[in-house]
Amino acid sequence: MMWILSLLLLVQSDEIKNLRDVNPTVRKNAISTIAEKGDQVGIRPMIELLAREPDDSVRREAVDALERLTGMRGFGPDFMKWQKWWEDEGKKRFGSSSFDASRIREQVESKIKEVDDKTREAKNEIRILSITVAIIATAFVLVMIYFVGHVSSKLKEWKELVRQAGVYIEESQQITKRTDRVLEELEAKKLDILEFVKKLKEEKENEIERFGDLLQQNTDHKLREEVMELRQKAEKELEETVGQLRQQIEMEVRRMGGDQKEKLDKDFKAQEEKFRKEVEAHTLFLQASFAHSHGKPEEALKIYRKLVALKPDHQVGWEKMGTAYRELMRYDEALEAYQQAIELDPEDPSSYYNMAATYARLRKRDKMLETLNLAIKNDGEFKDEALNDPAFRDYWNDPGFKDLAEG
């Protein structure tokens, strides 16, 4: 059965194997190669990669490749949307899975058919040979009998020749029996192969289903644990800070007397409310960042909205919200969020760069060059970033873009 396993392992290409490499650069290169070749076998493995990939650049590369191979737009890096599309439509168009058991079965059955044809040809040749040998031997015996009647002195020699002819006939019969036995063994192996392929397909389907369940359970459990830990930590810090403020105010009240008590109480409540908002904003930012980094941009977007509603001057929150909008291909809303971030911090190069990437997706060349220029002026490292960002792929050969990124 080892040659069968080797045959099954060869079905997967090196690029598809490299999608599970520990090096994100190797994974990105594998995605680019699959997209350039138009290898539709890689669609399913890249959808699975979205569920486990921690690197944002690899995820963006995978989304870009999936859009090019499938022609689908609007899913972004959302694994659940791609998975639903695959189950509803993609499987019918491009095959059942990255490890296509039905295709392997067809290849194995093709090999079995080829072996059957060759075995049948060999059996026919052996039977023809056996018949030929039998005819020759019979003719030989008849000739010997004829000569025995005429040449009695050679009787002993003729008997030996007849004996040898009998041996040849017996050997021919044994060859025929061995051939029949080999054919029976091949038929039995054929049944084993079909059973093996069926079992392998069932195992792969069970593994895929189990992997999906485990991934969902682990992600939800980890998210709940980290959020609870952050909330407990924030509440503890809040309680300690409020206690310190209360002690300071009580001391100040005792020192200054009753006339200032009302004013101090009001100041204390204002400081307490401000601090609570800071803690809540920090907790919301951590929750949104965690959801975003785990491939849940829609969930992260909901939390970012709460964050900026609570604290409108949270510049990083506005920028991250713009990135979530951009990953969901809601480009106009992404530009509005980046503009809010820039108004809060006009010197932040990251907001300008993300805005330029959004304009590139919208194919607004002049706006893209203008905002990219502002980003590079504030931080020259964005030159290399732009030269490797798939968002600017359509402009890599543009003279204006090259002047900015390579100048």
Side-chain angles (χ1 to χ4, degrees), residues 47-236:
I47 292 176
E48 294 174 353
L49 178 139
L50 291 177
R52 64 175 184 273
E53 179 57 55
D55 192 294
D56 288 343
S57 64
V58 178
R59 290 169 59 79
R60 291 195 296 268
E61 187 75 18
V63 171
D64 189 63
L66 284 170
E67 290 177 351
R68 292 172 62 186
L69 289 173
T70 65
M72 300 302 298
R73 298 289 188 275
F75 295 162
D78 191 325
F79 167 73
M80 298 306 296
K81 288 185 177 180
W82 281 108
Q83 175 69 11
K84 185 177 184 303
W85 167 83
W86 177 259
E87 294 296 333
D88 295 344
E89 179 182 348
K91 184 185 296 184
K92 298 176 183 177
R93 290 174 54 191
F94 303 107
S96 60
S97 67
S98 62
F99 192 79
D100 196 333
S102 64
R103 187 183 59 169
I104 295 172
R105 181 173 182 174
E106 289 176 2
Q107 292 177 349
V108 173
E109 289 178 348
S110 176
K111 289 293 183 181
I112 292 173
K113 184 178 179 182
E114 183 180 343
V115 171
D116 287 344
D117 292 341
K118 290 183 178 180
T119 304
R120 196 176 299 110
E121 291 176 2
K123 181 178 178 181
N124 291 335
E125 290 177 359
I126 292 171
R127 286 177 176 172
I128 292 172
L129 179 61
S130 300
I131 294 171
T132 303
V133 171
I135 292 172
I136 293 173
T138 302
F140 184 74
V141 170
L142 293 174
V143 171
M144 292 300 102
I145 293 173
Y146 174 78
F147 279 101
V148 166
H150 293 80
V151 187
S152 58
S153 60
K154 297 225 180 211
L155 180 60
K156 189 179 292 186
E157 182 179 347
W158 300 142
K159 287 182 178 180
E160 179 62 23
L161 291 174
V162 170
R163 188 188 67 78
Q164 291 179 0
V167 171
Y168 294 150
I169 292 172
E170 184 178 354
E171 290 179 355
S172 175
Q173 292 174 346
Q174 291 177 355
I175 291 173
T176 301
K177 291 179 180 179
R178 285 198 297 270
T179 302
D180 292 338
R181 188 164 53 251
V182 169
L183 291 173
E184 291 175 358
E185 291 176 356
L186 286 175
E187 186 67 23
K189 287 183 178 180
K190 177 181 177 181
L191 296 175
D192 291 341
I193 291 171
L194 293 176
E195 182 65 24
F196 172 77
V197 171
K198 180 181 178 182
K199 182 178 180 182
L200 180 63
K201 179 182 178 182
E202 293 175 353
E203 290 177 354
K204 289 297 178 183
E205 290 176 349
N206 292 335
E207 287 178 4
I208 291 171
E209 183 178 356
R210 186 164 56 253
F211 173 77
D213 294 341
L214 289 175
L215 179 64
Q216 183 63 35
Q217 293 174 5
N218 290 339
T219 302
D220 294 344
H221 181 68
K222 187 174 181 181
L223 177 61
R224 286 195 298 271
E225 284 185 350
E226 296 210 9
V227 169
M228 288 299 298
E229 182 179 347
L230 291 171
R231 185 176 296 278
Q232 291 173 0
K233 182 178 179 181
E235 290 176 352
K236 183 178 180 181

Side-chain angles (χ1 to χ4, degrees), residues 283-295 300 303-304 316 320:
T283 302
L284 288 172
F285 180 75
L286 291 175
Q287 291 175 350
S289 299
F290 183 83
H292 203 170
S293 65
H294 284 73
I303 304 174
Y304 282 133
V316 179
K320 295 296 185 181

Side-chain angles (χ1 to χ4, degrees), residues 295-312:
K296 297 182 178 180
E298 291 183 344
E299 182 178 337
L301 186 57
K302 293 178 182 178
I303 304 174
Y304 282 133
R305 286 173 179 162
K306 293 181 182 178
L307 170 61
V308 297
L310 177 68
K311 188 173 174 59

Side-chain angles (χ1 to χ4, degrees), residues 335 339 342 348-360 364-378 392 404:
L335 291 173
Q339 184 61 41
I342 290 172
D348 179 32
S350 179
S351 297
Y352 286 114
Y353 177 84
N354 286 318
M355 182 175 281
T358 306
Y359 280 128
K364 294 185 178 181
R365 177 181 179 276
D366 294 340
K367 289 286 188 181
M368 179 272 293
L369 292 176
E370 179 184 349
T371 49
L372 181 60
N373 182 41
L374 293 172
I376 292 174
K377 279 185 177 180
N378 290 322
F392 299 100
L404 284 176

Side-chain angles (χ1 to χ4, degrees), residues 18-60:
N18 287 340
L19 291 178
R20 293 182 174 277
D21 196 278
V22 296
N23 191 331
T25 302
V26 174
R27 297 196 297 274
K28 288 178 68 176
N29 292 337
I31 292 170
S32 298
T33 303
I34 291 172
E36 290 172 0
K37 288 182 177 180
D39 189 356
Q40 296 178 348
V41 176
I43 292 175
R44 178 58 181 167
M46 284 193 290
I47 292 176
E48 294 174 353
L49 178 139
L50 291 177
R52 64 175 184 273
E53 179 57 55
D55 192 294
D56 288 343
S57 64
V58 178
R59 290 169 59 79
R60 291 195 296 268

Side-chain angles (χ1 to χ4, degrees), residues 233-264:
K233 182 178 179 181
E235 290 176 352
K236 183 178 180 181
E237 292 178 353
L238 176 62
E239 183 179 351
E240 292 176 354
T241 304
V242 170
Q244 292 174 1
L245 288 172
R246 196 184 302 279
Q247 291 177 3
Q248 292 176 4
I249 290 174
E250 289 177 355
M251 291 176 63
E252 191 68 17
V253 167
R254 286 195 298 269
R255 187 177 66 83
M256 298 180 66
D259 294 340
Q260 300 294 325
K261 181 177 181 180
E262 183 177 351
K263 182 177 180 300
L264 289 174

